[in-house]
Amino acid sequence: MPSYKAPLREYKFLLNDVLDIGRYSNLPTFADAPLDLIESVLEEGGKFCEGVLAPLNKAGDEHGCTRHADGSVTTPPGFKDAYDQLVAAGWPALSSDPVYGGQGLPHIVALAWNEMVSSANMAFGMYPGLSHGAYEAIHHHGSDELKQKYLPKLVTGEWTGTMNLTEPHCGTDLGMLRTKAIPQSDGTYRISGQKIFISAGEHDLASNIIHLVLARIEGAPMGTKGISLFVVPKFLVNEDGSLGARNGVVCDKIEEKMGIHGNATCVLNYDDAVGYLCGIENKGLAAMFTMMNVARLGVGLQGLSQSEVAYQNAVIYAKDRLQGRSITGAKNPNGPADPIIVHPDIRRMLMDARAFNEGARAFAFWTAIQGDLLLVSPDDEVRQKADDYMGLMTPVLKSYLTDKGYANATNCQQVYGGHGYIEEWGMSQFVRDARITQIYEGANGIQALDLVGRKLGANAGRAIFAFFKEMDEFIEANDGDADLAPFVEGLRTTKAQMQDGAMWLMQNGMSNFDNAGAASHDFLNLFGITALTYMWALQAKAALAAKKNGGASDPYYDTKLATGRYFLARMTPDAGAHLAKLKSGAEPVMALAAEAF
Amino acid sequence: MPSYKAPLREYKFLLNDVLDIGRYSNLPTFADAPLDLIESVLEEGGKFCEGVLAPLNKAGDEHGCTRHADGSVTTPPGFKDAYDQLVAAGWPALSSDPVYGGQGLPHIVALAWNEMVSSANMAFGMYPGLSHGAYEAIHHHGSDELKQKYLPKLVTGEWTGTMNLTEPHCGTDLGMLRTKAIPQSDGTYRISGQKIFISAGEHDLASNIIHLVLARIEGAPMGTKGISLFVVPKFLVNEDGSLGARNGVVCDKIEEKMGIHGNATCVLNYDDAVGYLCGIENKGLAAMFTMMNVARLGVGLQGLSQSEVAYQNAVIYAKDRLQGRSITGAKNPNGPADPIIVHPDIRRMLMDARAFNEGARAFAFWTAIQGDLLLVSPDDEVRQKADDYMGLMTPVLKSYLTDKGYANATNCQQVYGGHGYIEEWGMSQFVRDARITQIYEGANGIQALDLVGRKLGANAGRAIFAFFKEMDEFIEANDGDADLAPFVEGLRTTKAQMQDGAMWLMQNGMSNFDNAGAASHDFLNLFGITALTYMWALQAKAALAAKKNGGASDPYYDTKLATGRYFLARMTPDAGAHLAKLKSGAEPVMALAAEAF
């Protein structure tokens, strides 16, 4: 059975050496979370993920969820007990608002926790994960009454939450949605319609489920400007907080999916269900989108998480499996064969995953810090940059981390040879689970369009120019450093390629929007590679500094530097290919008439 | 439910316009197979695949195979009936030797048939597919007695066959295999041991199963030089051809796999089973490898087949699904939204698959013709080149076509958005089925090592230099052709990059074998891109000629040319990235000590 080990050393290196979060100790939330506290929280969290969640992952895949005739859903064996332990230990509350019982830690702590949970058991992690989305929606947009009533138990995890957007005929294009909300004289609404693909839509883990539902108030305009957001609890909640009558929402079906079998993906039928408006009438879509950055960053992290756990297991197998001899001479001469980790092509697959994982994790953490600064910095300029960066990086994190996460999970499965294809070994599950991350929370093509169509040009390109400037400053500041030279050169190259691509888009995307659409995927990938090159430069600088400051005997730093050099040699060359493709423009992509297909 | 349409027009274009097989009509097998006969065979075959096999594909995935307590195995509903129809119609015998009841058609006809079968129902197609491997083994290496006894019923498909190589502790490294063969006084052997991953190892489709088994004769040397090949029938065969006693081979287990659920992947226990030596004692591995080219080409074709059927269904969905509006203005203004085929990023995914499929099919057919010429040409030079090409191209076809086939199936699944992840829609199955093609019949990393370690340098590089020369001649011959210019230029570029990579390998691979190993994957991909560029140049030339020769009003040729231009613009840029990676050498790949992982 696959295993999992929390990458605690990586977290420590990132938070302390690379991001130096100590410098924020004068800010709220950070002030109460010194590094040693964060480390011990993550250490405990790691134990929980390794010891409680990871052992349930495979059984969750095998058993899946079961819907009963009455619409109730049973989660896989062990999930309920693990969820109870999760709630008892207070894990769902890590970064929530202390006003509602949260622990008020920086979001970056929750980010690390979420990575560990997803690596250990992604399908399980979606139950508390979706709750967090509902919490954010109510916390940002709900009335005080809604907050008082729903947030405390969403924070503890006694109740879970869901996000209800998709309908059978519309997913990406929510303007077409049909679910109706009829206003009642008491200020509530009655909701009717069908929602599909609702993760954690029904289950037996918590005593209530709080659905956040997009619907159209009777008489509201068609299209996206007539959509409102509602809170629809599975059980109505009495004034004293106790549970009342069952509301008119039932699980009609759970989907048979390629993966994440442990999470119930539901068709939910709403039939005159009581709902409460959350936020402003007809502004539901905007309310939903303010939460999207957090959710999408979380999905990017899921992509990384599957790459990480698949990598860890592939390493174990590659060291254990004896097959063939090294082409440079036997490395295990007394054994019947060498472990397959001696073979360069096995190394290539492992190093691809490793160099990606460490770069992607840095990218996610580096971005997430901006999310914290956006909330707590008193400095307008810092907050504006943080907001710009969150907007700009989110589609890249979501799409690049999930596409590569899937590719790496596939490569790590490949390391197992035929055994990788057998479910018994567990590698297939990582691939099948990773696959959804490219699709949900906005398919990756939508992310790419968001990047080039909205984020790139917003405020006359302020966000991306700030990012270019930051990289330029790094290059200039470190230009004479011989040890860092390969990283500075690598960054100079990919940054120039990315800038070239951005300029091409600015010059050609406006005259023909199809140029922007046709270039979007390649530009996003070019961005991802460049961002990871920058992350590797930051990590290399931190590792070199740590070596000078007493860390010379710790092999961790040399390993880090070697992994970074692999990234430069083997993963940055794709940047040039993406640039060439995007510059070829829309013509080759759109040449065929639809009938010619 | 997914559907399938046989690409008959593509076959016709390839056989007639591109490969001009009419020019071989003076050769055996081709003489009896004029183009119109081949076309009508493929048309009938297409109907069978579309109408009988494709409708069973999804049920095969859902039901899988069932092993009973006595070791017998039931295939999915409908498989037995379809198999009976297959045998009755004579499909298994297409290219088999007429001496044993085969139809003696060129192998290229069987190749097209196999692509169609795999697209329609890959798991089903493996039952007759594996038989073909057993047929080849006995036909090439068996005694006359074995041939007379086993070939006729393998040819008709009344019996099926298997290939037994892998054991629990050895797959790639067959030198470690332990299955024993004890010689008997009557000249037979008694075989004991366990084999795993035996596709079609037990089932209810045929009255007998002929296992080809690698085993070590008692007292034979250790390692690969002590392995022999045996014929081990499930039921012993009496002198008169009737079935005798049940032999000592039973299915101990069938594996739960990621895909190809309709094919029984068996653990076979051999316990004193009667076996017959096939070929020369201790030369079993060589005997097995002479069949590998054909089998590996077949697996490459399976990769293409999943890309093709996934593409066909993604096109249907993209034309049908209404979601969002074209960024250049509504294309379906009277509908609630535009079909998603208007979006450039959807086009990108479809065109990637399409341009690959048509290029890869040409590459497979162009290579397979060499397989036919090797058998029937009276010209030593032609046969030598054919043999060289088959050896050189086979690992590329196996690996490149399956890696890209999986990637394309994944992209075509992505076109479906959330519905792609739901098993009901059938796209997940194409991805899961395609996944095995990268692994079995020699994992793709092994193919890459075969290419750079054995095929590249064989006979002082004779094969690859011949390929370079052929491309150079094409470039020279077509250099002034304005219509063909983009294709000639594209080929000039990728061919130069591939030659650069080959030179680097020749200079650096011998001094440090790890350089060859570390470069192998990227060189193979560089080779694949170059070969497909050549194939597109050949197709473009043929399409331009056809337009001039009365085909100007047929939109087929302009579509073909536009698809080729997409390949040049969007798929050849990866060649440069592969070249840069391979030239970075072994150091970054091998820098970490195994303990550092």
Side-chain angles (χ1 to χ4, degrees):
Chain A
M1 196 164 79
S3 63
Y4 174 63
K5 198 101 187 74
L8 298 174
R9 183 71 199 262
E10 294 301 316
Y11 297 141
K12 183 178 178 176
F13 175 69
L14 283 177
L15 295 174
N16 186 54
D17 297 78
V18 180
L19 300 173
D20 184 19
I21 65 162
R23 65 185 146 153
Y24 304 124
S25 60
N26 59 331
L27 297 179
T29 75
F30 287 99
D32 302 324
L35 189 64
D36 55 354
L37 173 73
I38 294 177
E39 275 187 64
S40 60
V41 166
L42 294 180
E43 195 177 327
E44 281 308 305
K47 278 183 204 160
F48 188 84
C49 293
E50 294 167 4
V52 178
L53 299 185
L56 297 175
N57 193 38
K58 194 159 180 314
D61 184 57
E62 284 164 8
H63 291 272
C65 297
T66 310
R67 180 187 172 278
H68 307 286
D70 65 354
S72 66
V73 169
T74 307
T75 53
F79 272 38
K80 171 69 177 145
D81 180 52
Y83 190 79
D84 290 344
Q85 291 184 54
L86 181 93
V87 171
W91 290 113
L94 274 186
S95 63
S96 304
D97 188 344
V99 171
Y100 303 102
Q103 298 177 33
L105 289 168
H107 283 92
I108 201 158
V109 182
L111 189 84
W113 159 254
N114 284 336
E115 187 205 327
M116 295 190 292
V117 171
S118 292
S119 282
N121 195 327
M122 185 169 136
F124 179 93
M126 291 169 66
Y127 292 102
L130 270 296
S131 299
H132 199 71
Y135 161 88
E136 293 277 348
I138 297 173
H139 193 254
H140 278 79
H141 302 286
S143 64
D144 279 344
E145 197 188 336
L146 286 176
K147 289 183 193 174
Q148 296 300 341
K149 210 165 189 176
Y150 294 101
L151 290 186
K153 293 196 170 171
L154 281 171
V155 165
T156 59
E158 286 165 274
W159 299 346
T160 65
T162 72
M163 310 294 281
N164 288 234
L165 289 75
T166 306
E167 300 181 3
H169 63 289
C170 71
T172 299
D173 190 355
L174 289 168
M176 297 199 287
L177 73 78
R178 294 177 192 151
T179 297
K180 271 186 320 192
I182 301 177
Q184 308 295 305
S185 56
D186 63 356
T188 66
Y189 293 78
R190 290 302 179 107
I191 314 289
S192 297
Q194 189 177 63
K195 295 288 182 177
I196 64 168
F197 300 160
I198 309 307
S199 298
E202 180 60 74
H203 57 77
D204 56 358
L205 301 182
S207 58
N208 203 3
I209 302 175
I210 314 306
H211 304 291
L212 274 285
V213 183
L214 288 182
R216 197 181 303 280
I217 296 173
E218 214 174 26
M222 295 306 294
T224 55
K225 295 196 166 77
I227 298 172
S228 305
L229 182 62
F230 297 89
V231 172
V232 185
K234 174 179 168 185
F235 288 99
L236 298 176
V237 179
N238 298 322
E239 286 308 311
D240 64 357
S242 64
L243 295 186
R246 184 73 164 78
N247 205 355
V249 46
V250 292
C251 170
D252 188 47
K253 181 188 170 190
I254 57 178
E255 305 284 2
E256 293 290 330
K257 309 184 298 291
M258 186 177 178
I260 49 167
H261 295 157
N263 199 278
T265 303
C266 300
V267 175
L268 291 186
N269 286 348
Y270 289 85
D271 185 12
D272 242 11
V274 176
Y276 311 95
L277 185 66
C278 183
I280 302 166
E281 208 171 290
N282 295 341
K283 301 284 185 194
L285 211 56
M288 199 60 108
F289 271 104
T290 58
M291 292 164 293
M292 283 288 183
N293 282 351
V294 174
R296 288 176 170 178
L297 205 152
V299 174
L301 211 65
Q302 288 179 334
L304 163 61
S305 76
Q306 297 311 291
S307 179
E308 171 69 29
V309 69
Y311 164 78
Q312 289 188 13
N313 284 282
V315 164
I316 294 168
Y317 189 81
K319 288 179 176 179
D320 189 54
R321 174 77 170 174
L322 305 179
Q323 204 79 180
R325 291 293 182 188
S326 163
I327 45 179
T328 57
K331 301 293 182 283
N332 176 35
N334 298 324
D338 288 345
I340 61 172
I341 200 167
V342 305
H343 304 306
D345 198 62
I346 297 289
R347 287 290 184 111
R348 173 186 64 81
M349 295 189 279
L350 295 178
M351 289 299 294
D352 266 3
R354 182 188 184 107
F356 166 78
N357 293 345
E358 295 181 14
R361 187 179 292 112
F363 186 28
F365 276 61
W366 176 86
T367 304
I369 278 278
Q370 303 295 331
D372 277 312
L373 293 177
L374 179 60
L375 293 176
V376 301
S377 175
D379 184 332
D380 289 347
E381 209 175 306
V382 169
R383 284 206 316 281
Q384 185 195 78
K385 182 181 163 188
D387 199 21
D388 284 352
Y389 270 23
M390 281 294 283
L392 182 67
M393 307 299 167
T394 295
V396 184
L397 279 164
K398 196 283 179 180
S399 181
Y400 185 68
L401 267 59
T402 59
D403 279 352
K404 298 292 283 185
Y406 176 71
N408 287 329
T410 298
N411 270 345
C412 291
Q413 180 191 27
Q414 188 77 11
V415 169
Y416 281 66
H419 296 94
Y421 200 64
I422 307 298
E423 293 293 352
E424 188 183 338
W425 289 79
M427 298 304 286
S428 161
Q429 185 186 355
F430 300 137
V431 176
R432 291 183 290 99
D433 286 359
R435 184 69 187 89
I436 189 59
T437 65
Q438 302 170 281
I439 298 171
Y440 66 13
E441 209 66 65
N444 284 357
I446 297 295
Q447 304 298 328
L449 204 58
D450 177 48
L451 176 66
V452 303
R454 298 172 54 211
K455 303 299 175 60
L456 201 56
N459 304 305
R462 191 174 69 202
I464 199 165
F465 285 121
F467 185 44
F468 287 141
K469 181 157 170 277
E470 179 172 338
M471 290 189 284
D472 283 337
E473 284 168 359
F474 180 92
I475 292 166
E476 199 179 333
N478 295 283
D479 212 3
D481 186 331
D483 291 337
L484 205 57
F487 293 92
V488 171
E489 283 318 303
L491 181 58
R492 199 195 304 276
T493 303
T494 57
K495 184 248 154 195
Q497 289 169 316
M498 179 180 160
Q499 198 155 4
D500 192 353
M503 290 303 145
W504 187 93
L505 269 168
M506 288 173 187
Q507 284 158 16
N508 299 279
M510 296 302 290
S511 57
N512 176 1
F513 290 150
D514 275 346
N515 275 331
S520 59
H521 168 84
D522 288 296
F523 182 71
L524 187 145
N525 279 277
L526 178 51
F527 194 142
I529 294 167
T530 306
L532 259 62
T533 312
Y534 183 41
M535 294 302 126
W536 270 113
L538 294 177
Q539 290 186 89
K541 188 176 167 73
L544 289 166
K547 279 184 74 175
K548 280 188 191 125
N549 297 322
S553 64
D554 186 343
Y556 176 84
Y557 301 109
D558 283 330
T559 298
K560 179 65 73 179
L561 290 163
T563 305
R565 285 194 300 271
Y566 180 90
F567 181 86
L568 295 175
R570 291 274 171 168
M571 298 171 80
T572 60
D574 288 324
H578 288 299
L579 180 60
K581 291 178 197 180
L582 83 84
K583 282 182 158 187
S584 72
E587 198 281 329
V589 179
M590 306 302 286
L592 296 193
E595 311 81 69
F597 281 88
Chain B
M1 195 164 80
S3 63
Y4 174 62
K5 199 99 186 73
L8 298 174
R9 182 72 199 261
E10 294 301 316
Y11 296 141
K12 183 177 178 175
F13 175 69
L14 283 175
L15 294 174
N16 186 53
D17 297 79
V18 180
L19 299 173
D20 182 19
I21 65 162
R23 66 184 145 154
Y24 304 124
S25 60
N26 60 330
L27 297 179
T29 76
F30 287 98
D32 302 324
L35 190 63
D36 56 354
L37 172 72
I38 293 178
E39 275 187 65
S40 60
V41 167
L42 294 180
E43 195 178 327
E44 281 307 305
K47 279 185 204 159
F48 188 84
C49 293
E50 294 168 2
V52 178
L53 299 185
L56 297 175
N57 193 37
K58 195 161 179 313
D61 184 58
E62 284 164 10
H63 291 271
C65 297
T66 310
R67 179 187 172 278
H68 307 285
D70 63 354
S72 66
V73 169
T74 308
T75 53
F79 272 39
K80 171 68 178 146
D81 180 52
Y83 191 79
D84 289 345
Q85 290 183 55
L86 182 92
V87 171
W91 290 113
L94 275 186
S95 63
S96 304
D97 188 343
V99 170
Y100 303 101
Q103 298 177 33
L105 288 167
H107 283 93
I108 202 158
V109 182
L111 189 84
W113 159 255
N114 285 336
E115 187 206 328
M116 296 191 290
V117 171
S118 292
S119 281
N121 196 327
M122 184 168 135
F124 179 93
M126 291 169 65
Y127 292 102
L130 269 296
S131 299
H132 199 70
Y135 161 88
E136 293 279 348
I138 297 172
H139 193 256
H140 278 79
H141 302 286
S143 64
D144 280 344
E145 196 187 337
L146 286 178
K147 289 184 192 174
Q148 296 300 340
K149 207 164 190 177
Y150 295 102
L151 289 186
K153 292 197 171 170
L154 282 171
V155 165
T156 59
E158 286 166 273
W159 299 346
T160 66
T162 72
M163 310 293 281
N164 289 235
L165 289 75
T166 306
E167 300 181 5
H169 64 289
C170 71
T172 300
D173 190 355
L174 289 168
M176 298 199 287
L177 74 78
R178 294 178 191 149
T179 297
K180 270 187 320 193
I182 301 177
Q184 307 296 305
S185 55
D186 64 355
T188 67
Y189 294 78
R190 289 303 178 107
I191 313 289
S192 297
Q194 189 178 61
K195 294 288 182 178
I196 64 169
F197 301 161
I198 308 308
S199 299
E202 180 60 73
H203 58 77
D204 56 359
L205 301 182
S207 58
N208 203 3
I209 302 175
I210 313 306
H211 304 292
L212 274 284
V213 183
L214 289 182
R216 199 181 301 279
I217 296 173
E218 211 174 29
M222 296 306 293
T224 55
K225 296 197 165 75
I227 299 173
S228 304
L229 182 62
F230 297 89
V231 172
V232 185
K234 174 179 168 185
F235 288 99
L236 299 177
V237 179
N238 298 322
E239 287 308 310
D240 64 357
S242 64
L243 296 186
R246 183 74 163 78
N247 205 354
V249 47
V250 291
C251 171
D252 188 47
K253 182 187 169 190
I254 57 177
E255 305 284 1
E256 294 290 331
K257 309 183 298 291
M258 185 175 178
I260 49 165
H261 295 156
N263 200 277
T265 304
C266 300
V267 175
L268 291 185
N269 287 348
Y270 289 84
D271 186 12
D272 242 12
V274 177
Y276 310 95
L277 185 66
C278 183
I280 301 167
E281 207 172 289
N282 295 340
K283 300 284 185 195
L285 211 55
M288 200 59 109
F289 272 103
T290 57
M291 292 165 294
M292 283 288 182
N293 281 350
V294 174
R296 289 177 169 177
L297 206 152
V299 174
L301 210 66
Q302 289 179 333
L304 162 61
S305 76
Q306 297 310 291
S307 180
E308 170 69 28
V309 69
Y311 164 78
Q312 290 188 11
N313 285 281
V315 164
I316 293 168
Y317 189 81
K319 289 180 176 179
D320 188 55
R321 175 77 172 173
L322 304 180
Q323 205 78 180
R325 290 293 181 189
S326 164
I327 45 180
T328 57
K331 300 292 181 286
N332 176 35
N334 298 324
D338 288 345
I340 62 173
I341 200 167
V342 305
H343 303 308
D345 198 62
I346 297 288
R347 287 291 184 111
R348 173 187 64 82
M349 295 188 280
L350 295 178
M351 289 299 294
D352 266 4
R354 183 188 182 105
F356 166 78
N357 293 346
E358 295 181 14
R361 187 179 293 112
F363 187 27
F365 276 62
W366 176 86
T367 305
I369 278 278
Q370 302 295 330
D372 276 311
L373 293 177
L374 180 60
L375 293 176
V376 301
S377 174
D379 183 331
D380 289 347
E381 209 175 305
V382 169
R383 283 206 317 281
Q384 185 194 78
K385 183 182 164 188
D387 199 21
D388 284 352
Y389 270 23
M390 282 293 284
L392 182 67
M393 306 300 168
T394 295
V396 184
L397 279 164
K398 196 281 178 182
S399 181
Y400 185 68
L401 267 58
T402 59
D403 279 352
K404 298 292 282 185
Y406 176 71
N408 287 329
T410 298
N411 270 345
C412 292
Q413 180 191 28
Q414 187 78 11
V415 169
Y416 281 66
H419 298 94
Y421 200 64
I422 308 298
E423 293 294 352
E424 189 183 337
W425 289 78
M427 298 303 285
S428 161
Q429 185 185 356
F430 299 137
V431 175
R432 292 184 289 99
D433 285 359
R435 184 69 186 90
I436 189 58
T437 63
Q438 302 170 282
I439 298 171
Y440 64 16
E441 209 66 63
N444 284 357
I446 297 295
Q447 304 299 328
L449 204 59
D450 177 48
L451 176 66
V452 303
R454 296 172 55 211
K455 303 298 174 59
L456 201 57
N459 304 306
R462 190 175 68 203
I464 198 164
F465 286 121
F467 185 45
F468 288 141
K469 181 156 170 275
E470 178 171 340
M471 289 189 284
D472 283 335
E473 284 168 0
F474 180 91
I475 291 167
E476 199 180 334
N478 296 283
D479 213 3
D481 185 332
D483 291 336
L484 205 57
F487 292 92
V488 171
E489 283 318 304
L491 181 59
R492 199 194 304 275
T493 302
T494 57
K495 183 247 153 195
Q497 288 169 317
M498 179 181 160
Q499 198 155 4
D500 192 353
M503 289 305 146
W504 187 92
L505 269 168
M506 288 173 187
Q507 283 158 16
N508 298 279
M510 295 303 289
S511 56
N512 177 2
F513 291 150
D514 275 345
N515 276 330
S520 59
H521 168 85
D522 288 296
F523 182 71
L524 187 145
N525 279 275
L526 178 51
F527 194 141
I529 294 168
T530 306
L532 260 61
T533 311
Y534 183 40
M535 293 303 127
W536 271 114
L538 294 178
Q539 290 185 88
K541 189 176 168 73
L544 289 166
K547 279 184 75 174
K548 280 189 191 124
N549 298 322
S553 64
D554 186 344
Y556 177 85
Y557 301 109
D558 283 329
T559 298
K560 179 64 74 179
L561 290 163
T563 306
R565 284 194 300 269
Y566 180 91
F567 181 86
L568 295 176
R570 291 272 171 169
M571 298 171 81
T572 60
D574 288 324
H578 288 299
L579 180 60
K581 290 179 199 180
L582 85 82
K583 282 181 158 187
S584 71
E587 198 282 328
V589 179
M590 305 303 286
L592 297 193
E595 311 80 68
F597 281 88

